[in-house]
Structure formats: C-alpha cells, structure tokens
Amino acid sequence: MNKAIVVGAFGFLGYGVTKAMLEEGMEVIALSNTDEKNCFKAEKRMEVGRNANFIEDIEWGELHEENEELRLIIPLYDFYMNGTEKKVYERVLGREDHPLFSLENCSVTYLLPYQVANEQGFQKFKDFMKDRGFSSYQEIYFPTLYGPWQPDVYYFQQVLAFYRSDKYEYNLSSRESIEDVIYIEDAASIVLQLKEDSGKFVVHSGKTNGWMECFLHLCKSLSLPEEKKLLKLESVSQKMKNWEQTSWLQLQENKGDYHFMYVKEPMEIQRGIKEQQKQYEHWQLMNR
C-alpha cells in the first residue's frame, strides 16, 4: 500500500505520520482544511510542500484510481488534545454523504490516546467507521507524545515556551496522560510498521513513569532555577494525586481486546527533548 489520506495532516501526530510516509516514498493526500488554529502550519507546509508525493486538499474525484489500495488515517489523537473532536465529527466523520465514504478498496486507521479506549463518547466515531464497509479497520492507542512541533496544549511545550515568564499560568490539561511518553517519530514509525495490519494496538515505551522522567529532563535542559522547577513539580505532583490513572490499567485489564506493543529502540528522552527545544527556538527565530 503506497497511498494514504491523512485527515488533519498538519496536526501534531498527523504531521508526524505524514512526514514518515513521505520519507518512505508513499503518496500522501493531506486533508488540512479540518485543522484548527495551528501556529506551526505555515512552516510545516513549507517543509513538505515541495515533495512531489504530497498533495493537499485536491478535488474528491481525483483521490485515487479504480482498484487502487488506499489507507485512510484519522489522527483523532490531535483533535482530542485540542478539544475539537466534535467539530471534525460534524464536518467529516459523521457525515454519511462525505466523499471519503464512497472510496473503494480503502482501509481505515484511527490514531487515539489511551484515555478514550473505554470512553463511551468516542464509541460513536469507531462504530460509524466500522459500518462504512472499509476493507480493514485498525485502532492504535498512544500515551503522551513529545518532540518537535508539539503544540502548547501540552505541558512540556508550555514550559519550553514560557519558562522565562513569571506571569504565565501553566495548565496541565485534564486530557493529557501523565503515565508514559513516546517521541513523535517513534509513534509515526509504529503507524508505518502496522500499515498492513488490522485490529487494536496499544503502544508503550516500556518505561515506568516515563512522563515524569521526560519532564525532569526538560527542566534540566532549560537550566531552570530551583525555585521555578519546584513550583512546576509541585503543580504537576498535585495534579498527579488527583488524577485517575485508569486508562493504562483498563487497557491492561482488557488484554484480550488489544495487541500490546513496545517501542524497540526508542528515542533517548534527553535527546528528544533537545530536538523539541531546537525546533521551537528555530521557529521563534524565523517568526520574530
């Protein structure tokens, strides 16, 4: 399978998967008009726009040739983190008349966060797609993702962007998992690895308390003054005490429904944080 449609191709995970597929020589049709506000979108478009295999928002009649195999990739992960999953459902995924659902010989992949594995509100997304008659159906669940282009809805990017400010109020979103982390390119590689498979997959780094380890590396890389680091640690720790860390446990309790995968050669957290910091500092320099 050498062709894919990515819904929300300039989102965090959506863009990671788009880049990985282009690097593999695949053709990617990007549906970017579903994206919400994205301060990095212009830079991302410049980065991949010159690739001959990247096609953005073309006419539906040009999507693919008859009998051509195609994978539809829906990074609901990004829409969930931005709180816009209902909008994408109304515009695309919940419309029976949408041209996406007339595609033949098409398989579908949902990219999801741990948190929604047992959430009834997301069941409508899954059920709707299962009933569309796609050739195969796949769900891949991820913990928190980090790395270049991480939006500031994530706690790490907030710290990275505003650590010099004494006035910024950091917000650890109730939608962000604090159980584990995976580098964005590792997550995209898993999606490519599973592109011919169907079923439900849960991806884990294999670390214990990976989120906190990543956070501490971030504090160290920024050389945060001890008092600032302690304030942030106190904020995070308080959230952790009140957090119902049930998503990973619930997934493990339902092992019969999922295939569990571990990243074999994960990005070193220290290096991954440096890559995220490097990209953001470059973006700041270019947008002064």
Side-chain angles (χ1 to χ4, degrees):
M1 188 178 299
N2 294 309
K3 195 171 186 178
I5 300 174
V6 181
V7 178
F10 291 117
F12 185 36
L13 181 53
Y15 185 66
V17 172
T18 294
K19 274 192 69 178
M21 288 182 165
L22 290 172
E23 288 168 3
E24 286 287 309
M26 294 179 63
E27 185 177 343
V28 177
I29 299 170
L31 301 190
S32 60
N33 55 8
T34 59
D35 294 336
E36 300 303 311
K37 183 179 178 182
N38 185 337
C39 65
F40 298 138
K41 188 172 182 176
E43 286 74 14
K44 291 176 179 178
R45 183 179 278 121
M46 286 181 62
E47 197 169 69
V48 299
R50 295 176 184 174
N51 191 311
N53 285 333
F54 180 77
I55 306 168
E56 186 178 359
D57 296 333
I58 64 172
E59 293 297 322
W60 288 103
E62 304 172 23
L63 275 177
H64 73 141
E65 300 173 4
E66 189 176 356
N67 297 322
E68 181 183 30
E69 288 188 356
L70 184 70
R71 180 165 288 277
L72 171 62
I73 297 177
I74 306 171
L76 269 178
Y77 190 109
D78 293 331
F79 296 106
Y80 174 81
M81 287 302 299
N82 289 327
T84 57
E85 68 274 12
K86 289 183 180 179
K87 289 183 179 179
V88 77
Y89 183 79
E90 291 167 0
R91 294 178 187 175
V92 181
L93 305 181
R95 287 178 48 197
E96 294 192 16
D97 62 340
H98 198 283
L100 274 180
F101 306 120
S102 64
L103 296 173
E104 297 179 357
N105 205 18
C106 179
S107 54
V108 64
T109 294
Y110 262 140
L111 306 180
L112 300 152
Y114 285 175
Q115 302 91 295
V116 306
N118 298 290
E119 195 173 299
Q120 289 303 312
F122 264 74
Q123 197 57 44
K124 66 179 181 180
F125 291 94
K126 302 171 188 177
D127 291 344
F128 187 84
M129 298 304 282
K130 286 178 180 177
D131 295 338
R132 295 308 97 194
F134 289 105
S135 57
S136 70
Y137 178 84
Q138 181 188 70
E139 296 173 15
I140 309 178
Y141 292 87
F142 292 101
T144 290
L145 304 174
Y146 76 104
W149 307 111
Q150 189 188 56
D152 62 14
V153 69
Y154 292 81
Y155 197 76
F156 299 161
Q157 185 61 24
Q158 290 177 45
V159 174
L160 183 59
F162 303 108
Y163 73 95
R164 291 188 177 92
S165 171
D166 293 323
K167 298 180 180 179
Y168 183 80
E169 294 290 330
Y170 295 90
N171 175 39
L172 177 57
S173 169
S174 61
R175 292 191 165 209
E176 181 170 348
S177 168
I178 52 177
E179 297 162 290
D180 190 26
V181 290
I182 290 179
Y183 189 65
I184 186 66
E185 290 182 8
D186 291 338
S189 294
I190 291 288
V191 176
L192 279 181
Q193 180 183 332
L194 295 173
K195 68 180 182 178
E196 304 295 339
D197 298 318
S198 59
K200 299 179 182 181
F201 301 86
V202 177
V203 186
H204 196 274
S205 71
K207 292 179 175 289
T208 302
N209 298 323
W211 191 96
M212 181 57 81
E213 181 182 345
C214 195
F215 175 71
L216 292 174
H217 273 294
L218 175 60
C219 291
K220 184 177 180 180
S221 72
L222 296 175
S223 302
L224 287 183
E226 194 64 25
E227 62 272 17
K228 278 197 172 186
K229 180 163 58 174
L230 286 173
L231 280 172
K232 293 178 180 63
L233 280 172
E234 182 180 345
S235 171
V236 172
S237 297
Q238 188 59 43
K239 288 271 188 177
M240 282 185 155
K241 288 178 183 178
N242 299 327
W243 194 287
E244 295 182 5
Q245 296 191 49
T246 58
S247 51
W248 174 242
L249 294 175
Q250 287 177 345
L251 286 166
Q252 289 182 310
E253 288 171 0
N254 295 296
K255 281 186 177 179
D257 298 331
Y258 302 96
H259 304 283
F260 284 78
M261 298 183 63
Y262 294 89
V263 181
K264 292 182 179 178
E265 296 180 4
M267 168 69 82
E268 293 179 3
I269 286 180
Q270 187 173 2
R271 182 182 165 200
I273 284 295
K274 285 183 178 179
E275 289 297 317
Q276 181 169 339
Q277 185 177 0
K278 178 181 175 183
Q279 176 274 318
Y280 183 67
E281 289 174 350
H282 176 74
W283 178 83
Q284 282 185 309
L285 184 65
M286 298 299 292
N287 287 273
R288 284 180 178 172

